[in-house]
Amino acid sequence: MASETKQISMAASAIALRGVRLFLSASRAAAARRPAPPPVAKPPRKKPVLPANKLPQKTLEQLLKTSKFNKNELEALYTMYRKLVAAAQAAAPAPVIGQPPLKIEGIDQNTFRDVMHNTFDLVTEETIVDRVWTTWERGAAGGEGALKFDSWVKGLSVLLRGTEDERRNHCFAVYDLNADGYITRDEMFLLLKNSLLKQPGDEDPDEGVRDLVELVLRKLDVDKDGKVSPEDYKAAVEQEPLLLEAFGQCLPSRRHATAFLKTLSTKQ
C-alpha cells in the first residue's frame, strides 16, 4: 500500500509540475507540393546535369544508416531544407554597399525557431527553444552557426522517432544550461521562473519558484547530492514518465510529430 501511495504521489506531483507551464496553441504548417515542370516536346541534347534539389547519393546513403528516415522521407526533408535555407537568405539583412551579399549556408536560428513553433508546436519558453537549437550538432563544417542538412536530419530523427534513451538524453541536454553534465538548483530556478505565470500582487514571486525547485529536486535527485545527474534523471523518468519534460516542453506532441511525418510520405 505504501508503494502504491508513493507512485500515486509521484504521478500527482509530475502532473502538477506540467500544469505550471504555459502551453499555447500553434497551427501546423501544411506541406506544399512542388509543381511539375512543363512538358517539353524536344529537349535540347546536352550533358545531363544533377538537379539542384537532388539529394547527393553519398549523403543519402550515410543518413539511411545514421537516421530513422527512409529514402523518400530523406528526399522530402532535403527539399524542405533547401526551401528553409532559401527563405533565410531572402530574409537576411541587405549587405553594406560594396560588400558581397550575406550567404547563409544552412538553417539559421530564426528559421529554426519558426519551425519549432509553427510546425512542431513547441510553444514553450524561448529559453527552451534556444537550448534546443544549441544542443543540435553543427560542428566545424556547420557554417556560421547554421544547421547543415545532416545535423537537421539527425536532430529531427531524435525528436520524431527517437528511442526512450535518445529522447531523455535530448531533454537532459536542453535543461543542462551550462553543459556540465548536471541540472543544478540554479538551472532549475531559471527554467521554472521563465515558465511560470506571474500573478499580480505577488510580493516575492521568486519564493514560489524556489519552493517548486525544492519539490522537483526531491523527485529527481535520486542520490541526494543536491543536483540531478543523467543517472538520477533516468531513474526518476523511468519511475514517472511525466517528469521527462518537468522544466519545459522540448519535444513535439505525438499528434504534431505524426502529422509532420505524414507530410513527408505525401511529398512527390
Side-chain angles (χ1 to χ4, degrees), residues 46-52:
K46 59 181 181 180
K47 183 178 179 181
V49 178
L50 186 69

Side-chain angles (χ1 to χ4, degrees), residues 97-113:
I97 297 176
Q99 297 293 325
L102 179 64
K103 188 175 183 181
I104 301 175
E105 296 288 352
I107 296 175
D108 69 345
Q109 188 170 0
N110 288 333
T111 304
F112 179 85
R113 185 183 292 114

